[in-house]
Amino acid sequence: MPVEKFRSIEEMNAAPIRSGRDGGFDRFIRHCARFWKLAPRRYPRGVVRFRSYEDAQATPANSRED
Amino acid sequence: MESRRCYPWRMDRDEVVHVLRAFEEVGLEYVLIGAAAMGIHGVVRATEDLDLFIRATADNVERLKSAFRLVYDNDPNIDEISADDLLGDYPAVRYYPPSGDLYFDVVTRLGETASYESVDSMVKEVDGIEVCLATPQALYELKRGTVRPLDHRDAEALRQEFGLEDD
């Protein structure tokens, strides 16, 4: 079903996304690839320690754009 | 496949697969959490990192380092990952590998309660690799209790996809 029609954006947002036969992993990787294409960045090398996972999540990755 | 021609595979598929395979080869005791685990469950959003709980033992930290060394050609920075830290005052370590395309948040405990042992997990096969990942319910529980709006959106997506309820 290449085209789906909806009567409202709410209906569209609630509709399940139809994916191909490949599993979630490949869709996940392709989605990340699109993200990277739109917002390219490179990370430095190394290891950083945090006193909690919350601290790690609150610390932006030290990235720079390509 | 069209998308594979259009996009460079960052986050590189092969790199992720190599890491997961290395985890399996060295016998790392881990549970994948975060967006990568959600993705394998079919709830897809982009992410910059792979998040994982590992069992908090010195041997297991060495397995983690061995796996990273296999994939990242003995990157000397891996020596900075320390069991003393992960089992002590620094239960979260971020590793930026030389590829520069992604990074890893490695966690031994989350708050007072969540750890490798406490998170419900399951095994799914990815490219012939047995990947250990948090169950949808466990991901939902991890994400709904945080302060990050992103986590709340993830929790809601998981709840809708799997019909989850609060425990």
Side-chain angles (χ1 to χ4, degrees):
Chain A
M1 188 187 295
V3 176
E4 293 180 85
K5 296 180 182 179
F6 303 98
R7 296 189 183 280
S8 70
I9 194 167
E10 291 81 9
E11 184 184 340
M12 182 171 68
N13 287 339
I17 296 168
R18 300 178 192 283
S19 57
R21 286 177 297 173
D22 53 357
F25 180 73
D26 279 314
R27 282 197 294 130
F28 164 69
I29 293 290
R30 286 202 302 276
H31 194 58
C32 290
R34 286 190 285 272
F35 166 82
W36 279 102
K37 185 71 173 175
L38 292 168
R41 60 195 66 195
R42 297 283 293 176
Y43 299 107
R45 298 176 66 165
V47 174
V48 183
R49 305 177 303 173
F50 299 95
R51 292 194 180 274
S52 71
Y53 184 47
E54 291 86 348
D55 285 350
Q57 290 191 310
T59 303
N62 186 13
S63 66
R64 63 174 172 79
E65 293 197 352
D66 275 333
Chain B
M1 194 174 296
E2 187 64 22
S3 61
R4 294 182 189 188
R5 288 197 298 271
C6 288
Y7 297 105
W9 274 64
R10 288 181 179 167
M11 167 185 306
D12 187 282
R13 184 185 197 287
D14 288 341
E15 183 173 350
V16 176
V17 168
H18 287 159
V19 169
L20 295 173
R21 182 166 290 123
F23 287 171
E24 185 178 67
E25 284 178 8
V26 304
L28 180 70
E29 295 176 284
Y30 76 98
V31 178
L32 204 58
I33 58 175
M38 287 174 50
I40 293 174
H41 284 305
V43 180
V44 173
R45 72 159 169 83
T47 186
E48 301 176 71
D49 66 342
L50 294 187
D51 302 271
L52 58 149
F53 274 125
I54 64 167
R55 185 189 290 279
T57 67
D59 285 348
N60 205 43
V61 173
E62 284 306 311
R63 291 186 201 108
L64 174 77
K65 295 166 71 173
S66 297
F68 282 152
R69 288 187 182 111
L70 279 173
V71 178
Y72 296 113
D73 196 24
N74 292 313
D75 173 18
N77 291 313
I78 295 166
D79 294 341
E80 296 176 29
I81 300 173
S82 150
D84 285 346
D85 287 337
L86 279 164
L87 277 55
D89 291 338
Y90 297 93
V93 165
R94 178 168 292 162
Y95 171 51
Y96 296 97
S99 61
D101 291 340
L102 77 164
Y103 60 91
F104 300 86
D105 278 351
V106 179
V107 185
T108 50
R109 61 182 185 276
L110 175 54
E112 297 298 315
T113 54
S115 66
Y116 169 86
E117 289 84 357
S118 71
V119 172
D120 285 338
S121 62
M122 60 193 297
V123 173
K124 281 201 164 191
E125 193 174 300
V126 172
D127 270 25
I129 306 161
E130 292 195 341
V131 178
C132 186
L133 68 163
T135 63
Q137 181 75 45
L139 289 169
Y140 174 69
E141 298 292 336
L142 284 170
K143 286 180 169 294
R144 76 183 175 86
T146 75
V147 297
R148 292 197 314 169
L150 176 62
D151 287 333
H152 295 172
R153 288 197 292 274
D154 287 346
E156 180 59 20
L158 287 160
R159 190 188 66 77
Q160 288 189 12
E161 178 71 20
F162 294 99
L164 302 176
E165 301 293 339
D166 294 353
D167 268 352

